[in-house]
Amino acid sequence: MAMLEVKDLAVNYGVINAVKGVSFDINEGEIVSLIGANGAGKTTILKTISGLLKPASGTITYEGHEIQKEKAPKIVAAGISQVPEGRHIFPGMSVKENLQMGAFLQSDRQAMAESFEAVYERFPILKQRLNQDAATLSGGEQQMLAMGRALMSKPKLLLLDEPSMGLAPIFINEIFEIVKAIKEQGTTVLLIEQNAKQALSIADRGYVLATGEVKMSGTGQELLANADVQKAYLGG
Ligand SMILES: Nc1ncnc2c1ncn2[C@@H]1O[C@H](COP(=O)(O)OP(=O)(O)O)[C@@H](O)[C@H]1O
Ligand SMILES: [Mg+2]
């Protein structure tokens, strides 16, 4: 059984049909990538999985339970955590306070301390900047903070919405390396990206999305080698 199964998902904004009957699944331990141009429906799918949007129809089954009617905090508690597009860190709050926000469901001090240690280990730079205002971090560091915040709840499934967006190339490489490392530590990842080449390079499987529909799917390597994918998304 897949860890997450999205079936015939449709999501509307008023009269706009943003997602039109999308199906895909994610197995435990995988990195699955959704790629597609701006406006394809990627963020809408992610927000629907995390409970911020409700679908018009279709089901989202996580660990055998339908979650498409659940509220966002319950979905976080069940082990799904998201890093939103554009990071949405809290400026005016320190790095440490931002991380604490990610652990809002944890009441156990010991578990909280363990979460902090795990995040410092993954992102040593955040430990150096703990008391700094999050707004003073570079773009790459803010992305690390957003990822660290999501990891504070010890998710089983991490949803990443365009983590490389707007970053300098050196940070982009680092972010993809970190995503790989997060997977190797046992967290399953849904990776949404416009940066198709790097996303597919680290993905076990991928789905190509256009105008709210899945157009193609395969292993990361199959999609990278596909002539249509190359033409549309890999610059030739
Ligand atoms: N809040 C919104 N209100 C109305 N339309 C929206 C809203 N958010 C997204 N859309 C539309 O839904 C479609 C899918 O958007 P989105 O999921 O953000 O795509 P992507 O993340 O792939 O760029 C687009 O046509 C977009 O214009
Ligand atoms: Mg988006």
Side-chain angles (χ1 to χ4, degrees), residues 38-39 41-44 85 161-162 192 194:
N38 197 18
K42 304 183 298 299
T43 296
T44 302
E85 183 178 319
D161 196 348
E162 303 218 29
I192 287 183
Q194 279 193 59

Side-chain angles (χ1 to χ4, degrees), residues 139-161:
E141 290 166 354
Q142 290 190 7
Q143 183 59 46
M144 290 180 199
L145 178 56
M147 290 168 79
R149 184 181 56 190
L151 291 173
M152 286 295 290
S153 66
K154 297 200 179 83
K156 291 186 252 185
L157 174 61
L158 183 65
L159 313 175
L160 298 170
D161 196 348

Side-chain angles (χ1 to χ4, degrees), residues 114-215:
E114 281 169 19
S115 288
F116 268 114
E117 279 313 312
V119 169
Y120 298 157
E121 205 169 302
R122 171 69 54 226
F123 305 103
I125 192 79
L126 295 182
K127 192 171 187 184
Q128 290 174 32
R129 307 229 186 288
L130 266 194
N131 298 312
Q132 215 167 302
D133 188 323
T136 66
L137 300 181
S138 72
E141 290 166 354
Q142 290 190 7
Q143 183 59 46
M144 290 180 199
L145 178 56
M147 290 168 79
R149 184 181 56 190
L151 291 173
M152 286 295 290
S153 66
K154 297 200 179 83
K156 291 186 252 185
L157 174 61
L158 183 65
L159 313 175
L160 298 170
D161 196 348
E162 303 218 29
S164 79
M165 187 164 66
L167 298 184
I170 180 170
F171 274 123
I172 292 180
N173 291 335
E174 195 174 350
I175 293 294
F176 281 107
E177 285 304 316
I178 289 167
V179 175
K180 255 198 313 197
I182 287 172
K183 169 205 157 149
E184 276 152 21
Q185 268 201 341
T187 306
T188 306
V189 177
L190 175 63
L191 174 61
I192 287 183
E193 267 293 341
Q194 279 193 59
N195 190 336
K197 192 169 185 178
Q198 274 173 297
L200 292 175
S201 304
I202 66 163
D204 295 287
R205 295 183 302 112
Y207 295 82
V208 179
L209 215 73
T211 58
E213 291 176 280
V214 172
K215 300 293 182 186

